Amino acid sequence: MTQKTLKAAVLGASGYTGAETVRLLRNHPHVEAVAATGNALAGQKLSSIFPHLGGRGDLDVIKAEDVRWDEIDVAFGCLPHGTSQDLIETLPSNVKIVDLSSDYRFRDPVAYSKAYGREHIAPERTASAIYGLSEHAAESLKGADLVACPGCYPTAILMVLLPLMSPLIIDTDSIIIDAKSGASGAGRGLKEGNLFCEVTEGTHAYGVGTHRHTPEIEQELNLRAGKSDIEVTFTPHLLPMARGEHVTCHLRGDVHDVQAALEAAYANQPFVTVLPLGSPPPDTRHVRGTNDCRIAVYPDRVKGRVIVIGVIDNLVKGSSGQAIQNLNLMMGWDQALGLDVLVPLFP
Amino acid sequence: MTQKTLKAAVLGASGYTGAETVRLLRNHPHVEAVAATGNALAGQKLSSIFPHLGGRGDLDVIKAEDVRWDEIDVAFGCLPHGTSQDLIETLPSNVKIVDLSSDYRFRDPVAYSKAYGREHIAPERTASAIYGLSEHAAESLKGADLVACPGCYPTAILMVLLPLMSPLIIDTDSIIIDAKSGASGAGRGLKEGNLFCEVTEGTHAYGVGTHRHTPEIEQELNLRAGKSDIEVTFTPHLLPMARGEHVTCHLRGDVHDVQAALEAAYANQPFVTVLPLGSPPPDTRHVRGTNDCRIAVYPDRVKGRVIVIGVIDNLVKGSSGQAIQNLNLMMGWDQALGLDVLVPLFP
Amino acid sequence: MTQKTLKAAVLGASGYTGAETVRLLRNHPHVEAVAATGNALAGQKLSSIFPHLGGRGDLDVIKAEDVRWDEIDVAFGCLPHGTSQDLIETLPSNVKIVDLSSDYRFRDPVAYSKAYGREHIAPERTASAIYGLSEHAAESLKGADLVACPGCYPTAILMVLLPLMSPLIIDTDSIIIDAKSGASGAGRGLKEGNLFCEVTEGTHAYGVGTHRHTPEIEQELNLRAGKSDIEVTFTPHLLPMARGEHVTCHLRGDVHDVQAALEAAYANQPFVTVLPLGSPPPDTRHVRGTNDCRIAVYPDRVKGRVIVIGVIDNLVKGSSGQAIQNLNLMMGWDQALGLDVLVPLFP
Amino acid sequence: MTQKTLKAAVLGASGYTGAETVRLLRNHPHVEAVAATGNALAGQKLSSIFPHLGGRGDLDVIKAEDVRWDEIDVAFGCLPHGTSQDLIETLPSNVKIVDLSSDYRFRDPVAYSKAYGREHIAPERTASAIYGLSEHAAESLKGADLVACPGCYPTAILMVLLPLMSPLIIDTDSIIIDAKSGASGAGRGLKEGNLFCEVTEGTHAYGVGTHRHTPEIEQELNLRAGKSDIEVTFTPHLLPMARGEHVTCHLRGDVHDVQAALEAAYANQPFVTVLPLGSPPPDTRHVRGTNDCRIAVYPDRVKGRVIVIGVIDNLVKGSSGQAIQNLNLMMGWDQALGLDVLVPLFP
């Protein structure tokens, strides 16, 4: 390859988004993961934590402070919220940041504090960070230094709803979003609720009426619609599967207007498919392991009601894949670099 | 046991609801399954079709026409819709019928034809059959000869919504029901969509805006509310699990009114638990294998919106368990007979 | 009920075997769980840890030291090894002990130390404890005060192999046991290997050539055969399922001799089914949720080789169910009390 | 790309191996899938059968007789045994054949008849076909016209055992193979045993002592060892997962000899990893979605016994991936072409 290779550090390589970032970078023509950090597990090989990453090109997990930052061009922040900003704010300014946590997603630091219960240590930085929903941020991403990747739920939901906001073609007082996620969306934390025996063969809702992704979703909807009072009902559910995110948006509007707005928004997007009206419902299996998003629109029996479904892989389009897509856009590259080799794994 | 035992025939014992009915009757003190029919599999032992039913008290699967009907007191109809009425209408009048199909659920035969695409062969019988949502039909079940058990989705949904209908304490133009079911809800039919490889590790909606359980739900809501124009949005999803049904009802109303109405409705019901406000969301695992229904109410962030969640085991409260509960009520017995030994199987 | 009720304490009610013991006791006519201990979670309701146990008869989780031991007749030890003996040795002598840990399984305290890496604090007690593989220990269980329930793997394996030991009808230098277990067999410990994402959709062996259940298995085989040199190859695998244990024993012997010995051994046992030669292989689903054990014998293509398969539910026959069966035998009751209401949950 | 592209037809594109072949060819630099056959489904788009293959480059499913064979360079046979030979023997001689069925795996047509219960219609062709276990057939594959890809079980097993055959370093009268497979190994056939509800949350053995892969395995072992009397015990199990194959080989031999032989055999193979002695057991998740094979050797507690574990993805190395690897070798290309972009999907 003739073009200069970017050296990447993956911060927090012991979680699922960190591992997924490493996985996806394996096929990137211009970016190489050269450092992987993880304070608790420093000293181990990455392949001893994630054996599936062994074989071709293992990495030593090191402490963040031991990274040779002068050799790093870009850092992928795969840390929990809070931890992320604490580290990112210490990095030298030459390092481009693609953060997957929620730390820089709020344009208003006060909204962040309210949602996450702590003061932001760099309020001006969060205010100026680019909210990296790739298809909707391509222009502003070009040349950006700090990108906040949307949460997995906001990604799926905003991919569906943003194109309906300007012009506003749905009623904003009846946006009901019922979302379903695989267990990897909850991360690799050691708690009973993440155990196999407590996830398999059953389902439950969580964060009912209170989930922290709701203000993030509302922020972007209002911004796009030029409003400030849009509120949504958002109810996530944990499903007995590892990957996949499925959002069912119950809206009031005209089915053909909605279909047309979505088709127009994503006409030339390599990763987004708006299915023709009348298609069978999309399935999370249809996008598993890829950066794809599929969207389908249905008329309801109830006149004036529309149901729009979106599916993504929460670890790819919902986190690590979109992060790489964002880096591509930041660098002025084809947004599909390194991601276009992905074909869904089914069954 | 001194009380005379009822002899039961299970019609359609080669499907999941048939097998579940046999399973549950094993512990019934007054009812014994003495015949199991299945035309395609006649001649086999029931345990060769469902080995888990082997051991204690196997049955021969026979053709329906070979049942000695004069010795049968009650028939559980576990056949597909259409097939069910064709057989049931041939049975002698001494046989009490508990039908689990959709054939007798519609009080209006025209509504049935519309939903199921065929004329009903006994329109007057469907009009007079008891709709057996047990907790809401106890009085009318007493002494009934023909009971139509609700569908699994209608059961979970009506358990949540019926108590809110009279007096009517929710807006009827914004009833959004997002439902999730395990694969056994789709039955044992041989089609690609039921294969392990096509159900595991993913999810999708189906029947979006068109599912046949919707008119059944609306029929009961309108009847209870004394209205005729209530419509609901109902979107079911297939989840990668065998059992369990979870309904998330997005409503407009007052959270305390809703909670109070539900608590009042189910105050003395052995199988229904209305969780206190503020409880963690119920999980389908909490009712697995039992006739239980758990309901929980949540305020939404959006003012005036309420989210009510209900969970059942689709094969027990959603079909075979409720069928037995209905028989108990028809006979004037304690409704919990044979069902109170069930404790949820977790994990 | 006229017969005096036994009061039971469940020690370690926050793990799966503790919860399962509580579940199963719900249907026991003579035993009532009146105390549940769990030091870290003391102060909570049992139903807040295990919501499926809520509703009918909740318990307060208390510290073991706060149990009113003078009111307790029997204690079920559901604690990790080591912890179990430390508590059990402090209990008053009037309390009968049914221990589910490995602490009292070794007749030789030195063998225990070797396998578990610590000295036993009551070597004479472990030497005299009854090894409670119920069907093979009925006589010695009668009136016993301290019973050590076998491990889940040893249970399944010894149910298959013990009847072949006396007279010895298989070659003892070629006993290869390949075992598969659901994730609940690993308990509720918070470690990455127990997470849903790391168990679903894959499998691996563990403890290859070194698993601590091997000496326990060999102890019992040698004892029964009157030998001391029997060794077995035992390789367990973790399967993506919550419950179920499946052992495949590759042996050298005569298929008809093996079948006959098994049939003779279990001729009148309510929980054990030896399938007829030529039967389809048993499945863990056929015993799920029950105290049943199914065994099937197959000739191999290789002359002189026999394959014997056994299946149990690891949480019932493999732990809590057998514990109750053992208590029944200790008390001189019908061994099936409280367990005969269990019918396999399928699907 | 400058090199001439090969045009490929995928025969039997409505099954899992057909779909997987199409998936994998998406990333092949020199081969393009231009035709997909499926008699029952002819007339449909491939993406309507397998929506995950939609989007980039759909195909029309056509009847085999409607393929323009003069434009086809290579055919991948993804049909059931029997059906495969019936079609393949009608193809023009310019078409190279990579057959994934069992039809050309037996060097002796009589052995084929015995195992599969029908006469082979082209006995001389099966006798001369190359048995395409890629790493062991590289030389003979070069320029071959007809390659029979090994079955999924034989692939995993022979990868483990072949290097131990010459020189022969294990006892041949004690080769016990316990194998576990995900449900995709059983194909997409519509039968109860493949339904989600009958596969999830349980396991069972099948073909005990009689599985048709056994003579295929023995054929290759004997051939390699220069013997004719090697027999193996092979017991496969169905696991509740879609993909993955795990073989546990219980052998008699010296652990270091075995390790050395395996390391030597696969020293420069891109897809095979022989883990160092003492490694944690490999998991099918570590190779999911890839053409990789991982092998690990363990000493048993029983002196002289060795346990060797091999894992593959049954749909990649076990079928479609190896088929492409074989085509690469037939063409004299780098064997990893199109397959080296695969990184395991975890979780």
Side-chain angles (χ1 to χ4, degrees):
Chain A
M1 125 189 32
T2 54
Q3 187 166 353
K4 182 181 167 296
T5 294
L6 250 56
K7 307 288 186 198
V10 177
L11 312 178
S14 62
Y16 293 137
T17 59
E20 187 72 352
T21 302
V22 172
R23 176 179 86 94
L24 294 173
L25 288 177
R26 288 273 168 90
N27 283 311
H28 200 292
H30 303 331
V31 185
E32 188 185 2
V34 297
T37 77
N39 287 358
L41 299 168
Q44 297 191 34
K45 289 280 178 193
L46 183 58
S47 67
S48 74
I49 304 167
F50 288 116
H52 73 289
L53 294 175
R56 290 173 279 261
D58 205 351
L59 286 169
D60 294 303
V61 178
I62 59 178
K63 297 195 180 206
E65 63 207 54
D66 294 333
V67 174
R68 300 185 52 173
W69 286 106
D70 55 331
E71 298 178 354
I72 299 296
D73 302 296
V74 57
F76 289 94
C78 301
L79 293 160
H81 69 85
T83 310
S84 194
Q85 58 184 272
D86 290 344
L87 175 56
I88 283 173
E89 292 304 320
T90 69
L91 301 185
S93 63
N94 66 294
V95 179
K96 284 180 180 290
I97 309 289
V98 183
D99 189 37
L100 287 77
S101 85
S102 55
D103 275 6
Y104 297 91
R105 291 179 195 157
F106 283 84
R107 295 159 197 263
D108 174 6
V110 176
Y112 173 83
S113 305
K114 213 166 139 192
Y116 288 88
R118 62 165 274 180
E119 295 296 303
H120 203 290
I121 64 170
E124 72 296 337
R125 289 257 285 175
T126 190
S128 66
I130 306 300
Y131 186 83
L133 187 71
S134 313
E135 283 77 5
H136 293 271
E139 279 313 304
S140 47
L141 282 165
K142 206 171 292 176
D145 290 323
L146 171 57
V147 175
C149 297
C152 52
Y153 284 124
T155 293
I157 292 163
L158 294 170
M159 291 299 285
V160 166
L161 294 182
L162 274 192
L164 315 180
M165 290 294 120
S166 172
L168 184 60
I169 58 171
I170 57 168
D171 281 6
T172 54
D173 64 345
S174 181
I175 301 177
I176 312 287
I177 305 158
D178 193 286
K180 295 96 184 162
S181 175
S184 64
R188 212 187 185 202
L190 297 178
K191 49 185 179 179
E192 279 86 1
N194 287 346
L195 295 180
F196 179 84
C197 288
E198 324 245 339
V199 174
T200 189
E201 288 292 313
T203 191
H204 62 80
Y206 60 99
V208 185
T210 64
H211 196 281
R212 290 190 293 203
H213 280 171
T214 319
E216 182 185 335
I217 295 161
E218 290 172 350
Q219 163 185 283
E220 296 302 306
L221 294 181
N222 279 299
L223 200 69
R224 180 63 60 95
K227 304 191 63 159
S228 62
D229 62 352
I230 299 178
E231 292 181 306
V232 302
T233 293
F234 166 57
T235 312
H237 299 74
L238 178 66
L239 264 57
M241 59 194 201
R243 283 175 185 246
E245 197 154 275
H246 183 290
V247 298
T248 309
C249 302
H250 302 92
L251 310 171
R252 261 212 201 89
D254 178 80
V255 69
H256 295 99
D257 291 352
V258 169
Q259 176 78 13
L262 286 163
E263 286 183 0
Y266 301 119
N268 296 304
Q269 289 295 345
F271 294 121
V272 190
T273 303
V274 180
L275 299 176
L277 280 174
S279 298
D283 190 304
T284 58
R285 290 166 196 87
H286 301 163
V287 297
R288 182 163 46 197
T290 77
N291 201 49
D292 295 346
C293 173
R294 294 198 184 181
I295 299 174
V297 181
Y298 300 88
D300 190 18
R301 283 167 76 260
V302 179
K303 203 165 128 60
R305 287 211 160 270
V306 183
I307 297 152
V308 193
I309 291 170
V311 294
I312 60 170
D313 182 317
N314 57 298
L315 286 181
V316 192
K317 182 60 180 171
S319 59
S320 303
Q322 183 158 259
I324 291 170
Q325 187 181 6
N326 283 339
L327 176 64
N328 289 339
L329 290 165
M330 291 161 78
M331 301 302 296
W333 298 335
D334 179 342
Q335 66 178 326
L337 275 186
L339 300 168
D340 49 9
V341 300
L342 303 170
V343 187
L345 193 73
F346 174 87
Chain B
M1 132 187 24
T2 53
Q3 187 166 353
K4 180 179 167 298
T5 294
L6 250 57
K7 307 287 186 199
V10 177
L11 312 178
S14 62
Y16 293 137
T17 57
E20 188 72 352
T21 302
V22 172
R23 176 179 85 94
L24 294 173
L25 287 178
R26 288 274 168 89
N27 283 310
H28 201 292
H30 303 330
V31 185
E32 188 185 3
V34 297
T37 78
N39 287 358
L41 300 168
Q44 297 191 35
K45 288 281 178 193
L46 183 58
S47 67
S48 74
I49 304 168
F50 288 116
H52 73 290
L53 294 176
R56 290 174 277 262
D58 205 351
L59 286 170
D60 294 303
V61 178
I62 59 178
K63 296 196 180 204
E65 63 207 55
D66 294 332
V67 174
R68 299 185 53 173
W69 288 106
D70 54 331
E71 299 179 352
I72 299 296
D73 302 295
V74 57
F76 289 94
C78 302
L79 292 160
H81 68 86
T83 310
S84 194
Q85 58 186 272
D86 289 344
L87 174 56
I88 284 173
E89 292 304 320
T90 68
L91 301 186
S93 63
N94 67 293
V95 178
K96 284 181 180 290
I97 309 289
V98 183
D99 189 37
L100 288 75
S101 86
S102 55
D103 274 7
Y104 297 90
R105 291 178 195 158
F106 283 84
R107 295 160 197 261
D108 174 4
V110 175
Y112 173 82
S113 305
K114 212 166 141 192
Y116 288 87
R118 62 166 274 181
E119 294 296 303
H120 203 290
I121 64 171
E124 72 296 337
R125 289 256 286 175
T126 190
S128 65
I130 306 300
Y131 186 83
L133 187 71
S134 314
E135 283 77 5
H136 294 271
E139 280 312 304
S140 48
L141 282 166
K142 206 171 294 177
D145 290 323
L146 171 56
V147 175
C149 297
C152 51
Y153 284 124
T155 293
I157 292 164
L158 294 170
M159 290 297 287
V160 166
L161 295 182
L162 274 192
L164 316 180
M165 290 294 119
S166 174
L168 184 61
I169 58 170
I170 58 168
D171 280 8
T172 54
D173 64 346
S174 181
I175 302 178
I176 312 287
I177 306 158
D178 194 286
K180 296 95 184 161
S181 175
S184 64
R188 212 186 185 201
L190 296 178
K191 48 185 180 180
E192 280 85 1
N194 286 347
L195 295 180
F196 179 85
C197 288
E198 325 244 340
V199 174
T200 190
E201 288 293 313
T203 190
H204 63 80
Y206 61 99
V208 185
T210 64
H211 197 281
R212 291 190 293 202
H213 280 171
T214 320
E216 182 185 334
I217 296 162
E218 291 171 351
Q219 163 185 284
E220 296 302 307
L221 294 181
N222 279 299
L223 200 68
R224 179 63 59 95
K227 304 191 64 160
S228 63
D229 62 353
I230 299 177
E231 292 180 306
V232 303
T233 293
F234 167 57
T235 312
H237 300 75
L238 179 66
L239 264 56
M241 59 193 201
R243 283 174 184 247
E245 198 155 274
H246 183 290
V247 299
T248 310
C249 302
H250 302 92
L251 309 172
R252 263 213 200 88
D254 177 81
V255 68
H256 295 98
D257 291 351
V258 169
Q259 176 77 14
L262 287 162
E263 286 183 0
Y266 300 119
N268 296 303
Q269 289 296 344
F271 295 121
V272 190
T273 303
V274 179
L275 299 176
L277 281 174
S279 298
D283 190 303
T284 58
R285 290 166 196 87
H286 301 164
V287 297
R288 182 163 47 199
T290 77
N291 201 49
D292 296 346
C293 174
R294 294 198 184 180
I295 299 174
V297 181
Y298 300 89
D300 190 19
R301 283 167 76 260
V302 179
K303 203 166 129 59
R305 286 212 159 269
V306 182
I307 297 153
V308 193
I309 291 171
V311 294
I312 60 169
D313 182 318
N314 57 297
L315 286 181
V316 192
K317 181 59 180 171
S319 60
S320 303
Q322 183 158 256
I324 291 169
Q325 185 181 6
N326 284 338
L327 177 63
N328 289 339
L329 290 164
M330 291 161 77
M331 301 302 297
W333 299 333
D334 179 341
Q335 66 179 327
L337 275 187
L339 300 168
D340 49 9
V341 300
L342 302 170
V343 187
L345 193 73
F346 174 87
Chain C
M1 127 189 29
T2 53
Q3 187 165 354
K4 182 180 168 296
T5 292
L6 250 57
K7 307 287 186 200
V10 178
L11 312 178
S14 62
Y16 293 137
T17 56
E20 187 72 351
T21 303
V22 173
R23 176 179 87 93
L24 294 173
L25 288 178
R26 288 275 168 90
N27 283 311
H28 200 292
H30 303 330
V31 186
E32 189 185 1
V34 297
T37 77
N39 287 358
L41 299 167
Q44 297 190 36
K45 288 280 179 195
L46 183 59
S47 66
S48 74
I49 305 168
F50 288 114
H52 73 290
L53 294 176
R56 290 174 278 262
D58 206 350
L59 286 170
D60 294 303
V61 178
I62 59 177
K63 297 196 181 206
E65 63 207 55
D66 294 333
V67 174
R68 300 186 51 173
W69 287 107
D70 54 332
E71 299 178 354
I72 299 296
D73 302 296
V74 58
F76 289 94
C78 301
L79 293 161
H81 69 86
T83 310
S84 194
Q85 58 185 273
D86 290 344
L87 175 56
I88 284 173
E89 292 305 320
T90 69
L91 301 186
S93 62
N94 67 293
V95 178
K96 284 180 179 290
I97 309 289
V98 183
D99 189 38
L100 286 77
S101 85
S102 55
D103 274 6
Y104 297 91
R105 291 179 195 156
F106 283 85
R107 294 160 197 262
D108 174 5
V110 176
Y112 173 82
S113 305
K114 211 165 141 192
Y116 287 88
R118 62 165 274 180
E119 294 295 304
H120 203 291
I121 65 170
E124 73 296 337
R125 290 256 285 175
T126 190
S128 65
I130 305 300
Y131 186 83
L133 188 70
S134 313
E135 283 77 5
H136 294 272
E139 279 313 304
S140 47
L141 282 165
K142 205 171 293 176
D145 289 323
L146 170 58
V147 174
C149 296
C152 52
Y153 284 124
T155 294
I157 292 164
L158 294 171
M159 291 298 285
V160 166
L161 295 183
L162 274 192
L164 316 180
M165 290 294 119
S166 173
L168 184 61
I169 59 171
I170 58 169
D171 281 7
T172 53
D173 64 345
S174 182
I175 301 177
I176 312 287
I177 305 158
D178 193 285
K180 296 95 183 162
S181 175
S184 64
R188 212 186 184 201
L190 296 178
K191 48 184 181 180
E192 280 85 0
N194 287 346
L195 296 179
F196 179 84
C197 288
E198 325 243 340
V199 174
T200 189
E201 287 293 312
T203 191
H204 62 81
Y206 60 100
V208 185
T210 64
H211 196 282
R212 292 190 291 202
H213 280 171
T214 320
E216 182 184 335
I217 296 162
E218 291 172 350
Q219 162 184 283
E220 297 302 306
L221 294 182
N222 278 299
L223 200 67
R224 180 62 60 96
K227 304 190 64 161
S228 63
D229 62 352
I230 299 179
E231 292 181 306
V232 302
T233 293
F234 166 57
T235 311
H237 299 76
L238 179 66
L239 263 57
M241 59 194 201
R243 283 173 186 249
E245 198 155 272
H246 183 291
V247 298
T248 310
C249 302
H250 301 92
L251 309 172
R252 262 214 200 89
D254 177 79
V255 69
H256 295 98
D257 291 352
V258 168
Q259 176 78 13
L262 286 162
E263 287 183 359
Y266 301 119
N268 296 304
Q269 288 295 344
F271 294 122
V272 190
T273 303
V274 179
L275 300 176
L277 280 174
S279 297
D283 190 303
T284 58
R285 290 166 197 87
H286 301 163
V287 297
R288 182 163 48 198
T290 76
N291 201 49
D292 295 347
C293 173
R294 293 197 183 180
I295 300 174
V297 180
Y298 300 89
D300 190 19
R301 283 167 76 260
V302 179
K303 203 164 129 61
R305 286 211 158 270
V306 183
I307 297 154
V308 192
I309 291 171
V311 294
I312 61 169
D313 182 319
N314 57 298
L315 286 181
V316 192
K317 181 61 180 169
S319 59
S320 303
Q322 182 158 259
I324 291 169
Q325 186 181 5
N326 284 338
L327 176 64
N328 289 339
L329 290 164
M330 291 161 77
M331 301 301 296
W333 298 334
D334 180 340
Q335 65 179 325
L337 275 187
L339 301 168
D340 49 9
V341 300
L342 302 170
V343 187
L345 193 73
F346 174 86
Chain D
M1 119 189 39
T2 54
Q3 188 166 352
K4 183 180 168 296
T5 293
L6 250 56
K7 306 287 186 199
V10 178
L11 311 179
S14 61
Y16 293 136
T17 58
E20 187 72 352
T21 303
V22 172
R23 176 178 87 94
L24 294 173
L25 287 178
R26 288 274 169 89
N27 283 311
H28 200 291
H30 303 332
V31 186
E32 188 185 2
V34 298
T37 78
N39 287 358
L41 300 167
Q44 298 190 36
K45 289 280 178 193
L46 184 57
S47 67
S48 74
I49 304 168
F50 288 115
H52 73 290
L53 293 176
R56 290 173 278 263
D58 205 350
L59 286 170
D60 294 303
V61 178
I62 59 177
K63 297 195 180 207
E65 63 206 55
D66 294 333
V67 175
R68 300 186 52 173
W69 287 106
D70 54 332
E71 299 178 353
I72 299 295
D73 302 297
V74 58
F76 289 94
C78 302
L79 294 161
H81 69 86
T83 310
S84 193
Q85 58 185 271
D86 289 344
L87 175 55
I88 283 173
E89 292 305 319
T90 70
L91 301 185
S93 62
N94 66 294
V95 178
K96 284 180 181 290
I97 309 289
V98 183
D99 189 37
L100 287 76
S101 85
S102 55
D103 274 7
Y104 298 90
R105 291 178 195 157
F106 283 83
R107 295 160 197 262
D108 174 5
V110 176
Y112 173 83
S113 305
K114 213 166 139 192
Y116 287 89
R118 61 165 275 179
E119 294 296 303
H120 203 289
I121 65 171
E124 72 296 337
R125 290 256 286 175
T126 191
S128 65
I130 305 301
Y131 187 83
L133 188 70
S134 314
E135 283 76 5
H136 293 272
E139 278 314 303
S140 48
L141 282 165
K142 206 171 291 175
D145 290 322
L146 171 56
V147 175
C149 296
C152 52
Y153 283 125
T155 294
I157 292 164
L158 294 171
M159 291 298 285
V160 166
L161 294 183
L162 274 193
L164 316 180
M165 291 293 119
S166 172
L168 185 60
I169 59 171
I170 57 168
D171 279 8
T172 54
D173 64 345
S174 183
I175 301 177
I176 312 287
I177 305 158
D178 193 286
K180 295 96 184 161
S181 175
S184 64
R188 212 186 186 202
L190 296 178
K191 49 185 179 180
E192 280 85 1
N194 287 346
L195 296 179
F196 179 84
C197 288
E198 324 244 340
V199 175
T200 190
E201 289 293 314
T203 191
H204 63 80
Y206 60 100
V208 184
T210 64
H211 196 281
R212 291 189 293 203
H213 280 172
T214 320
E216 182 184 335
I217 296 161
E218 290 171 350
Q219 163 185 283
E220 297 302 306
L221 294 182
N222 278 299
L223 201 68
R224 180 63 60 94
K227 304 191 63 161
S228 63
D229 61 353
I230 299 179
E231 292 180 306
V232 302
T233 293
F234 166 58
T235 312
H237 300 75
L238 179 66
L239 264 57
M241 59 193 201
R243 282 174 186 248
E245 198 155 273
H246 183 291
V247 298
T248 309
C249 302
H250 301 91
L251 309 172
R252 263 214 200 90
D254 177 80
V255 69
H256 295 98
D257 291 351
V258 169
Q259 176 77 14
L262 286 163
E263 286 183 0
Y266 300 120
N268 296 303
Q269 289 295 345
F271 294 121
V272 190
T273 302
V274 179
L275 299 176
L277 281 174
S279 297
D283 190 303
T284 58
R285 290 166 197 86
H286 302 164
V287 298
R288 181 163 48 197
T290 77
N291 201 49
D292 295 346
C293 174
R294 293 197 184 180
I295 299 174
V297 181
Y298 299 88
D300 190 19
R301 283 167 77 262
V302 178
K303 203 164 129 59
R305 286 212 159 269
V306 182
I307 297 153
V308 193
I309 291 170
V311 294
I312 61 169
D313 182 318
N314 57 299
L315 286 181
V316 193
K317 182 60 180 171
S319 59
S320 303
Q322 183 158 258
I324 291 169
Q325 186 182 6
N326 284 339
L327 177 63
N328 289 338
L329 290 165
M330 291 161 78
M331 301 301 296
W333 298 334
D334 179 340
Q335 67 179 328
L337 274 187
L339 300 169
D340 48 10
V341 300
L342 302 170
V343 186
L345 193 73
F346 174 87

